[in-house]
Amino acid sequence: MQCRGCEREVNFVPAEAGRVVCPHCKKPILLRVDRSLLENHTVQNCVACGHDSLYIQKDFNRTLGVAIVVAGSLISVYFLARSEPLYAMLALGVTATVDYLLYRLVGDVTVCYACHTIYRGFVRNPAHSTFDLKDLEKYGGREPRF
């Protein structure tokens, strides 16, 4: 989650939560940890802002993903420029295979629409679906409930 004071990332263990101090600006951060988080390891509500509007996404660095696709595309263009279309298609195929394998191997995270807090290592809640732009417009940027 992000500290509201300095907007830097703050990690916490749910068992220790309640009030956490930002290690960067030393500002206290109030957290609301519900029983589902502690007992079932399932996120129902955001501990940072209190909202229940959450979505699921892959826990993968987007910059790295784009870099893999760009590298595969550039390698393909290189082979096309050398009039070697078979190698160009092979480069695209390898890129697609790497992308698919990473997609299957990387786990999921739960993210809050309102404050963008990321929850790693929790059980996926079936009530949460994947990202939807309409929901971001509806719930994004809301004020904390507490």
Side-chain angles (χ1 to χ4, degrees), residues 83-132:
S83 298
E84 297 175 346
L86 181 63
Y87 290 125
M89 292 300 150
L90 184 64
L92 291 176
V94 167
T95 302
T97 302
V98 167
D99 183 54
Y100 176 76
L101 290 174
L102 287 173
Y103 179 82
R104 300 301 292 170
L105 294 174
V106 172
D108 293 331
V109 292
T110 302
V111 183
C112 177
Y113 274 112
C115 69
H116 308 290
T117 296
I118 299 172
Y119 299 90
R120 288 185 174 91
F122 293 97
V123 176
R124 182 177 179 157
N125 187 337
H128 302 146
S129 60
T130 57
F131 178 80
D132 186 355

Side-chain angles (χ1 to χ4, degrees), residues 10-128:
V10 177
N11 296 319
F12 68 94
V13 178
E16 301 171 357
R19 186 172 288 275
V20 175
V21 177
C22 175
H24 309 288
C25 69
K26 307 301 184 213
K27 179 180 176 183
I29 303 168
L30 177 65
L31 301 176
R32 186 184 334 181
V33 179
D34 59 6
R35 287 196 321 223
S36 69
L37 195 66
L38 296 173
E39 295 172 1
N40 305 332
H41 280 28
T42 304
V43 181
Q44 295 285 343
N45 298 311
C46 180
V47 299
C49 70
H51 292 289
D52 60 354
S53 308
L54 302 141
Y55 65 93
I56 305 294
Q57 75 176 22
K58 287 293 184 182
D59 190 14
F60 190 71
N61 185 320
R62 292 179 186 153
T63 306
L64 178 59
V66 170
I68 290 169
V69 171
V70 168
S73 300
L74 290 175
I75 292 169
S76 178
V77 168
Y78 169 78
F79 284 122
L80 282 174
R82 294 187 48 168
S83 298
E84 297 175 346
L86 181 63
Y87 290 125
M89 292 300 150
L90 184 64
L92 291 176
V94 167
T95 302
T97 302
V98 167
D99 183 54
Y100 176 76
L101 290 174
L102 287 173
Y103 179 82
R104 300 301 292 170
L105 294 174
V106 172
D108 293 331
V109 292
T110 302
V111 183
C112 177
Y113 274 112
C115 69
H116 308 290
T117 296
I118 299 172
Y119 299 90
R120 288 185 174 91
F122 293 97
V123 176
R124 182 177 179 157
N125 187 337
H128 302 146

